[in-house]
Amino acid sequence: MSYESKDKAARRAAEHTEYDAIIIGAGMSGMYQLYRLRELGLNTLALEAGTGVGGTWYWNKYPGARFDSESWSYGYSFNEEILKEWSWSEHFAGQPEIQRYCNLVADKLDLKKDIRFNSRVASARYLEESNRWRVTLTDGTEFVTRYLITAIGLLSIPTMPRFEGVNDFKGVWCHTGLWPKEGIDYDGKRVAVIGTGASGIQAIQEIAKTAKSLTVFQRRPNWCTPLHNAPISTEEMEDIRTRYPEIFKHCQTTAACFIHTHDPRSALDVSQEERIAFWEKLYATPGFGIWQGNFHDIHTNREVNRQLSEFVADKIRERVKAPKVAEMLIPKDHGFGTRRVPQETKYYEVFNQDNVELIAVLETPIERITPTGIRTSEREFEFDVIIYATGFDGITGAFNQIEFEGRNGRTLREEWQHGPTTFVGMMVKDFPNMFMVMGPHGALGNQPRSIEHNVDWISRVIGHMEQQGIELAAPKPEAVEEWHDFVAEKAKGLLANEVDSWMTGVNMNVQGKEKRGLVRYSGTAPEYRARCEAVISGGYEELDFDRFVPGNAVSADAKQAV
Ligand code: NAP
């Protein structure tokens, strides 16, 4: 037996296998959920596939990865000490700094002792006879728990294109979402990037600085706007610190929890001159202002959206010297802001560099990856490095990677075969005592703001159950239906829901995700939170709360007693 396996065996022997709560994932969601459940006095374990905390910020180490929300609006708001101690160095911090932040939080709250790293969950089965969940790792290790909380992320399963020959390539290749810890040396090399979503755009603008050549394979361009990042001085950070309460309070009032607020006016309420002046101002403003702080009807009114798209298209034309390349970079199949807007720093100017070439794969499709590079219908390219910035199996992807089995042996995949159905994005019918942080049909936007809300809500429900001796909770079928209707109602009229993207459940690289579906909640965060709050203030009428009768289902007496 090797030293390592002895050590592993000893760890296993010392390890508990029964917990009050198990959390899957130790990203921003899992870390905070662990903290809150420990606060409730529950013996809690978090299972994390990686070797460190941070989730998205642990895996996405590609060059140029950084926030697109203001750093100071993104960090956790719940801990005064951390807010006092931590200083952000930039308005939109880079991945290494964000990972340091996640580690500081984990260390400060002593979270790591309850996180089992290198632990990828393969299945989670509800055991009707004991009202427990059995969680099994890919290496066969099993745990049993009363509560199961998923904190597995919306964009955590990287997807590769279905090209032939990916493994034949003799050079270095990698997906942006699985960037190796030791990094990839691309300086002075011939590099290809496939994909121009937010990840690809951040990587391209960085790699173009030192690569010998960079060839960008673009399928559909996205509308990108300037990030306008800047360092934060000590004085500015001190000022931000004093304003934290108002910043977080403000984020609670906006549609997607960003610091930007939509203008209540219609774009058509103002003159053309005023409209353009406003858009010029927003284009020069840091962050998502032009997307989240614009006239409210840019998201719903086709004519307004067309005008704004034309405004941004002209900016691209101004910035890219070759008119043909500029036109290639302007989206023609969707309007501005109908897909998540990548934030850029001199992205368009990259295409003025001699070492950068743009290939439109819809015109000259990639036929295969070869041992030395990429073959399109037109040309054979040679590369040293190929980077796949081809996105994620969004929203339901991480759930499909784990075999979840609820009551009566019904799997989550079966339950969601026609699209996800949840209660407030956090619970699923017939999956008792299972909670999801940031599940499908919950509020998106500035993630940590929604994460904190979800974790607090789940912790309040669990706290109530513990206090009242309730052993089993599941949403009532009619509550799930009502929530689904509400989500469907909120999706109406939004131009974004008429466009293919991960937000509408489309990923051409994943079988069964070729068509749009209702996978996200598109209403506002305040409305979402109000609905969740009403569940608690209304006495949890939407949930079935039961006492568990060992050996079988819950008795009617027990139901009444709760
Ligand atoms: P993405 O937006 O889904 O982009 C994937 C890109 O790969 C698209 O350009 C897509 O083209 C292309 N692609 C996929 N398969 C292809 C194929 N077979 N051939 C050629 N091109 C192909 O993924 P992402 O860039 O990783 O971003 C996902 C989300 O993560 C973002 O929307 C954002 O919410 C989040 N994110 C945030 C940040 C941040 O700044 N905080 C950074 C990165 C990501 P099509 O458009 O034609 O499908």
Side-chain angles (χ1 to χ4, degrees):
M1 198 185 251
S2 71
Y3 172 77
E4 200 181 322
S5 57
K6 253 193 212 161
D7 183 49
K8 208 169 166 188
R11 185 165 72 134
R12 289 251 181 90
E15 194 167 59
H16 295 280
T17 51
E18 280 220 39
Y19 288 87
D20 294 328
I22 283 186
I23 300 162
I24 310 177
M28 296 283 288
S29 302
M31 286 164 66
Y32 181 44
Q33 186 67 78
L34 173 58
Y35 172 77
R36 291 284 273 129
L37 292 182
R38 271 196 342 204
E39 230 181 21
L40 286 176
L42 299 182
N43 182 18
T44 306
L45 175 72
L47 298 169
E48 166 56 50
T51 59
V53 294
T56 289
W57 303 112
Y58 166 87
W59 296 102
N60 287 268
K61 295 184 173 76
Y62 62 85
R66 65 174 60 250
F67 282 150
D68 53 13
S69 308
E70 289 69 9
S71 311
W72 32 271
S73 75
Y74 191 100
Y76 291 114
S77 72
F78 70 91
N79 187 294
E80 288 292 331
E81 223 179 292
I82 294 168
L83 288 171
K84 272 197 195 118
E85 181 175 333
W86 179 262
S87 295
W88 293 107
S89 72
E90 290 177 284
H91 283 275
F92 300 89
Q95 179 276 337
E97 182 172 346
I98 306 166
Q99 210 185 354
R100 281 200 301 279
Y101 169 78
C102 292
N103 275 291
L104 173 111
V105 173
D107 292 339
K108 198 102 200 145
L109 305 176
D110 200 12
L111 298 179
K112 288 179 187 166
K113 70 178 163 67
D114 292 322
I115 302 173
R116 192 185 196 273
F117 293 103
N118 270 318
S119 302
R120 187 174 287 281
V121 173
S123 66
R125 295 203 156 73
Y126 177 65
L127 310 172
E128 307 220 23
E129 63 283 6
S130 57
N131 185 35
R132 297 285 186 274
W133 281 88
R134 187 173 62 222
V135 180
T136 308
L137 303 184
T138 47
D139 69 1
T141 309
E142 290 187 349
F143 302 93
V144 172
T145 179
R146 288 199 285 136
Y147 300 107
L148 177 68
I149 295 100
T150 66
I152 50 185
L154 298 161
L155 295 158
S156 53
I157 308 296
T159 49
M160 288 288 291
R162 302 184 210 177
F163 298 144
E164 265 182 57
V166 168
N167 288 306
D168 298 345
F169 182 58
K170 298 276 185 276
V172 176
W173 65 270
C174 181
H175 188 286
T176 47
L178 293 170
W179 203 260
K181 276 190 199 138
E182 60 281 9
I184 289 178
D185 179 14
Y186 53 81
D187 290 356
K189 304 261 164 67
R190 299 164 302 169
V191 183
V193 174
I194 304 173
T196 52
S199 304
I201 280 154
Q202 288 184 336
I204 288 163
Q205 61 200 20
E206 198 56 34
I207 293 169
K209 290 177 186 166
T210 55
K212 180 179 181 201
S213 68
L214 172 62
T215 311
V216 176
F217 291 85
Q218 171 187 267
R219 193 160 62 184
R220 288 180 299 153
N222 278 298
W223 294 103
C224 315
T225 49
L227 181 67
H228 297 300
N229 193 16
I232 300 179
S233 67
T234 314
E235 299 74 45
E236 201 177 356
M237 194 60 227
E238 277 316 310
D239 174 57
I240 288 168
R241 235 177 234 117
T242 62
R243 291 188 293 107
Y244 267 138
E246 67 183 90
I247 290 167
F248 292 129
K249 201 169 159 207
H250 176 67
C251 288
Q252 299 298 309
T253 66
T254 63
C257 308
F258 295 109
I259 59 154
H260 311 280
T261 316
H262 282 114
D263 192 311
R265 292 172 302 170
S266 160
L268 303 176
D269 285 348
V270 302
S271 68
Q272 168 80 352
E273 227 171 32
E274 212 177 319
R275 193 156 51 237
I276 298 297
F278 185 48
W279 287 343
E280 287 288 358
K281 189 176 136 218
L282 290 176
Y283 198 79
T285 303
F288 275 142
I290 195 158
W291 186 38
Q292 294 293 318
N294 214 314
F295 299 111
H296 73 88
D297 54 353
I298 65 156
H299 304 284
T300 49
N301 184 313
R302 274 173 226 286
E303 175 52 22
V304 170
N305 188 272
R306 189 196 62 74
Q307 288 190 29
L308 175 59
S309 302
E310 205 38 50
F311 171 84
V312 181
D314 282 343
K315 292 288 178 201
I316 299 171
R317 291 184 185 110
E318 277 167 28
R319 293 173 58 185
V320 179
K321 284 186 192 149
K324 185 168 172 262
V325 178
E327 289 312 311
M328 285 166 76
L329 289 163
I330 296 171
K332 306 288 189 307
D333 65 341
H334 67 282
F336 179 86
T338 57
R339 300 170 99 195
R340 183 149 164 149
V341 177
Q343 302 269 284
E344 48 85 25
T345 304
K346 299 199 188 312
Y347 172 67
Y348 290 111
E349 285 72 11
V350 158
F351 295 95
N352 298 333
Q353 289 178 210
D354 293 338
N355 65 335
V356 177
E357 186 177 8
L358 181 64
I359 306 294
V361 298
L362 286 179
E363 283 168 28
T364 56
I366 294 175
E367 288 185 341
R368 64 167 298 136
I369 308 297
T370 66
T372 53
I374 295 176
R375 185 197 304 153
T376 66
S377 59
E378 194 186 52
R379 262 163 81 184
E380 187 94 38
F381 294 83
E382 291 202 345
F383 297 115
D384 304 307
V385 180
I386 299 179
I387 294 163
Y388 295 92
T390 43
F392 298 88
D393 185 355
I395 301 184
T396 51
F399 289 93
N400 289 336
Q401 293 288 309
I402 297 172
E403 192 69 17
F404 288 99
E405 196 179 287
R407 276 178 174 144
N408 307 315
R410 188 167 166 80
T411 65
L412 193 60
R413 224 174 272 131
E414 285 165 342
E415 183 70 27
W416 288 357
Q417 61 187 308
H418 303 298
T421 50
T422 72
F423 179 59
V424 294
M426 291 187 265
M427 297 178 85
V428 184
K429 178 170 74 73
D430 288 334
F431 285 71
N433 299 351
M434 178 176 119
F435 298 88
M436 303 174 292
V437 186
M438 306 297 286
H441 295 177
L444 304 176
N446 187 2
Q447 303 282 311
R449 303 284 65 80
S450 296
I451 287 170
E452 284 187 343
H453 166 270
N454 272 202
V455 168
D456 288 342
W457 191 89
I458 291 167
S459 307
R460 284 164 78 190
V461 176
I462 292 178
H464 176 76
M465 291 171 70
E466 289 293 296
Q467 213 176 32
Q468 302 295 317
I470 298 163
E471 286 153 272
L472 200 150
K476 290 179 179 162
E478 57 272 26
V480 173
E481 260 176 55
E482 249 174 62
W483 184 256
H484 195 269
D485 292 347
F486 175 65
V487 170
E489 187 56 36
K490 288 285 144 189
K492 286 182 187 157
L494 263 188
L495 299 174
N497 289 331
E498 299 173 8
V499 170
D500 290 354
S501 74
W502 65 263
M503 293 194 285
T504 52
V506 176
N507 185 327
M508 294 300 182
N509 301 317
V510 179
Q511 211 172 1
K513 291 205 165 182
E514 294 87 358
K515 283 196 184 147
R516 273 173 235 152
L518 186 65
V519 291
R520 64 159 184 154
Y521 162 77
S522 2
T524 69
E527 198 173 0
Y528 170 76
R529 283 193 298 268
R531 291 241 166 181
C532 295
E533 194 56 38
V535 176
I536 295 181
S537 60
Y540 301 99
E541 276 179 10
E542 294 85 351
L543 304 187
D544 268 329
F545 275 152
D546 294 320
R547 288 232 164 80
F548 179 70
V549 178
N552 211 328
V554 176
S555 78
D557 287 354
K559 272 192 178 190
Q560 293 222 318
V562 180

